[in-house]
Amino acid sequence: MSVPRYWREIKYRYRLLGCMCKECGSVFFPRRHICLKCGSRDLEEVKLSERGRVVSYTVVRNPPKEYEKYAPYIVALIELGDGARILSQVVDCEPEEVHLGMEVEATFRRVREDGPSGIIEYGYKFRPVIS
Amino acid sequence: MRKVAVLGVGCTKVGEHWKRSLRDLFVEASLRAIEDSGVEEIDGLYVSNMASGPLQHQEHLGAVMADALAVNPIPAVRVEAASASGGVAFHEGVKAVASGMSDFVLVGGVEKMTDRLPPEVASTLIMSEDQEYTAYTGVTNIGLSAILKRLYMDRFDVKPEEIAMLPVIDHENAASNPYAQYPFKTSIERVLNSPMEADPVHLLECSGIGDGAAAVVLGPANESETSDHPLVTVSASAVATDTLNLTNREDPLTLRAVRGAAEEAYARAKLTPRDVDVLEIHDEVSILGVLSLEDLGFAEKGKGASLAASGAISLSGETPTNTFGGLKARGNPLGATGLYQIVELTWQLRGEAGKNQVDGAEVGLAQNMGGVGSTCAVNILRREDL
Ligand SMILES: [Zn+2]
């Protein structure tokens, strides 16, 4: 992973920034240049809701190479409070505990390492909301 | 536009070809297709392949394979659309011949997956999805399908046993296919007792890691006298796309690219799903086959798995599907997969399918998908003299 490639996504990953269409109000993550709903090119960065619900999920047991030491882990399709959807790992939770509709909130975690001497990547993961 | 014929077909066995290179496999399948066609000179080459870059550190496959076949200086290009590469390359070849820009075109697909260990293959496969926001989560392609499967079973109250019929049918058909990677039968119990790959998807619902190549020779239908086989022509060839990320789809359980390509293909061929005698679906993971049956128009939403469980898509059923084993049991060498489908449909329509023959098959449809449905190719073939 090159440093600039990681660096240019930091803002969006660390702060959970997506974008909103100024024409039709649709919210997207990740950010994009053209609205998928109405075709408008007038989109602005917005901070996404940090809370949402699990729409569906899986437990990855045979992961890609860079993620081997984390397995097994939960990856969920999450609908955020503002209607945007995001794919994310769900942590602080065992595979038996996660369920459809579960309320989750964003948290900041280590994501992967680029070998013993490369950069360590961080970013969002979600965890169960503790009420 | 000229009517296009499939003049020749050929393939290698799908499997672990430790001693054979990307070139070796491609040349074997291509020479078989050329010999089968009787065509002496090709004037265009399309090479379909998903991942020779990450897997072999080899790019520029158009030139690599034109050289290997000793057909320089004809134009040659690689077509990449993840595991839809084969179906999309076929589409490009059809356009070239139909337009008159080329006369006799070879479309060959190849993938060599066993040069890497399984975790490296998983890293390569997920290159079909958004690297920065999908692969970044650590999800695998099978994991994405698993997310769809859980949603599907919950929404439509479908039992795992019904979905497990798809791999059972594939294996049943592969058992008599000499080119299949896994030519043996299995059972619903064995599928559901196999280890979890990505919950709720079991290992035996997933296509494996294999090497293979498949090729076809296309030409104008009115210049098909070189071939001594019954004439098979292309009734329609369509490609459609959908948003790359599942998160941007209004309903993740509707594969819009499949719907779009199917609707266009049916309209061009002036056919409906009822006219299809033999079907090839892209069941890279069984749930994707289920959704494909629905979005191709063979079942209503939520009924694809029960269609499989009813016997309607078995070899003796109304719409025999994946008659040589499908992605699960014939195998899924990525860039070659879509061309295996065309090769097998051609054998069916010519009446050369041996033990797997569907009697009187006249119309065949092949659906080939890349990513979790972000590209879909639908190709419809027809036997002309029936
Ligand atoms: Zn808009």
Side-chain angles (χ1 to χ4, degrees):
Chain A
M1 174 61 64
S2 77
V3 171
R5 185 173 170 193
Y6 176 63
W7 169 82
R8 69 177 171 255
E9 301 299 330
I10 280 180
K11 176 167 108 173
Y12 308 98
R13 287 176 179 164
Y14 285 20
R15 296 181 54 210
L16 216 59
L17 291 187
C19 68
M20 183 194 274
C21 174
K22 287 164 97 172
E23 290 291 326
C24 75
S26 300
V27 182
F28 300 102
F29 185 83
R31 69 192 186 281
R32 50 185 302 118
H33 300 285
I34 302 169
C35 177
L36 268 174
K37 274 255 174 68
C38 75
S40 166
R41 294 174 193 183
D42 200 5
L43 293 99
E44 61 183 350
E45 275 178 12
V46 288
K47 171 83 185 74
L48 297 181
S49 166
E50 293 197 359
R51 274 204 179 200
R53 282 174 191 279
V54 171
V55 175
S56 186
Y57 67 94
T58 185
V59 182
V60 174
R61 297 187 184 273
N62 294 304
K65 193 169 163 40
E66 305 77 13
Y67 294 83
E68 279 183 286
K69 72 173 198 184
Y70 299 95
Y73 48 85
I74 302 161
V75 179
L77 177 61
I78 295 164
E79 182 156 307
L80 300 174
D82 43 30
R85 287 183 167 191
I86 187 170
L87 196 71
S88 171
Q89 282 191 31
V90 174
V91 294
D92 299 352
C93 172
E94 295 301 319
E96 307 77 58
E97 294 166 340
V98 62
H99 55 267
L100 301 186
M102 185 168 84
E103 279 197 71
V104 289
E105 63 187 9
T107 177
F108 184 72
R109 294 295 163 95
R110 178 190 281 239
V111 172
R112 62 185 171 191
E113 302 81 41
D114 188 12
S117 55
I119 55 173
I120 300 169
E121 294 186 58
Y122 292 85
Y124 55 86
K125 290 183 182 179
F126 281 69
R127 64 179 174 196
V129 171
I130 301 152
S131 47
Chain B
M1 298 264 271
R2 300 193 288 182
K3 182 172 257 195
V4 179
V6 180
L7 300 175
V9 298
C11 64
T12 70
K13 183 180 164 67
V14 182
E16 297 172 351
H17 293 285
W18 303 112
K19 290 182 166 173
R20 316 193 57 215
S21 71
L22 203 63
R23 267 190 193 83
D24 295 337
L25 294 167
F26 187 86
V27 169
E28 178 182 331
S30 299
L31 290 182
R32 283 186 181 173
I34 291 169
E35 191 182 346
D36 188 58
S37 73
V39 168
E40 283 181 7
E41 252 182 57
I42 57 167
D43 61 357
L45 173 63
Y46 291 86
V47 180
S48 66
N49 170 271
M50 172 180 168
S52 64
L55 296 175
Q56 280 81 35
H57 290 162
Q58 180 68 66
E59 303 287 15
H60 205 189
L61 287 196
V64 169
M65 297 310 175
D67 168 87
L69 290 173
V71 292
N72 303 126
I74 70 165
V77 66
R78 170 207 186 149
V79 176
E80 190 271 310
S83 46
S85 300
V88 174
F90 182 81
H91 177 74
E92 294 303 318
V94 168
K95 285 199 289 193
V97 175
S99 70
M101 291 282 283
S102 303
D103 286 322
F104 297 100
V105 160
L106 181 82
V107 185
V110 64
E111 205 76 50
K112 185 148 181 65
M113 302 171 75
T114 62
D115 280 351
R116 300 278 169 180
L117 296 169
E120 296 172 317
V121 172
S123 299
T124 301
L125 290 173
I126 201 66
M127 290 179 186
S128 63
E129 303 293 330
D130 182 347
Q131 281 301 296
E132 310 299 9
Y133 291 91
T134 300
Y136 178 74
T137 66
V139 78
T140 53
N141 296 60
I142 296 167
L144 291 171
S145 288
I147 286 173
L148 296 184
K149 183 183 176 187
R150 189 183 299 280
L151 196 58
Y152 184 86
M153 290 197 300
D154 181 65
R155 187 188 300 173
F156 299 112
D157 196 23
V158 170
K159 308 243 168 326
E161 289 76 12
E162 296 180 276
I163 296 173
M165 267 310 286
L166 257 86
V168 171
I169 293 168
D170 276 4
H171 275 278
E172 180 100 23
N173 295 339
S176 45
N177 174 8
Y179 299 101
Q181 182 171 19
Y182 303 117
F184 51 80
K185 296 182 183 183
T186 189
S187 64
I188 291 175
E189 294 68 40
R190 257 186 253 168
V191 172
L192 297 180
N193 288 329
S194 65
M196 278 294 179
E197 178 71 26
D199 315 29
V201 167
H202 296 264
L203 177 67
L204 288 184
E205 293 176 79
C206 307
S207 58
I209 293 173
D211 309 330
V216 306
V217 174
L218 301 175
N222 59 3
E223 289 183 50
S224 57
E225 61 279 2
T226 57
S227 166
D228 41 19
H229 304 281
L231 182 61
V232 172
T233 60
V234 182
S235 293
S237 177
V239 173
T241 54
D242 194 0
T243 60
L244 189 62
N245 293 340
L246 280 182
T247 50
N248 284 330
R249 299 186 192 169
E250 220 155 283
D251 177 12
L253 296 181
T254 297
L255 302 173
R256 288 181 300 194
V258 179
R259 283 203 177 178
E263 278 167 17
E264 189 190 330
Y266 291 136
R268 282 178 186 271
K270 301 188 178 64
L271 294 170
T272 71
R274 268 190 301 271
D275 300 312
V276 175
D277 302 313
V278 52
L279 176 65
E280 293 272 351
I281 56 170
H282 190 95
D283 57 340
E284 187 168 322
V285 179
S286 301
I287 184 63
L288 295 180
V290 169
L291 296 175
S292 296
L293 283 170
E294 297 168 1
D295 292 313
L296 288 168
F298 290 90
E300 280 172 47
K301 236 337 123 196
K303 304 280 190 207
S306 52
L307 182 78
S310 76
I313 64 167
S314 301
L315 199 56
S316 56
E318 198 180 326
T319 312
T321 299
N322 292 356
T323 62
F324 283 87
L327 276 69
K328 172 67 197 77
R330 170 243 292 126
N332 177 25
L334 311 176
T337 295
L339 288 158
Y340 274 94
Q341 295 181 324
I342 301 289
V343 169
E344 293 160 359
L345 283 186
T346 302
W347 286 335
Q348 286 288 2
L349 300 177
R350 288 172 172 181
E352 297 172 358
K355 286 185 185 156
N356 301 43
Q357 185 64 48
V358 174
D359 287 335
E362 191 183 346
V363 173
L365 184 151
Q367 174 241 356
N368 185 204
M369 207 154 66
V372 187
S374 35
T375 300
C376 181
V378 170
N379 289 297
I380 301 179
L381 306 185
R382 173 169 221 142
R383 176 170 170 150
E384 280 295 323
D385 59 349
L386 286 179

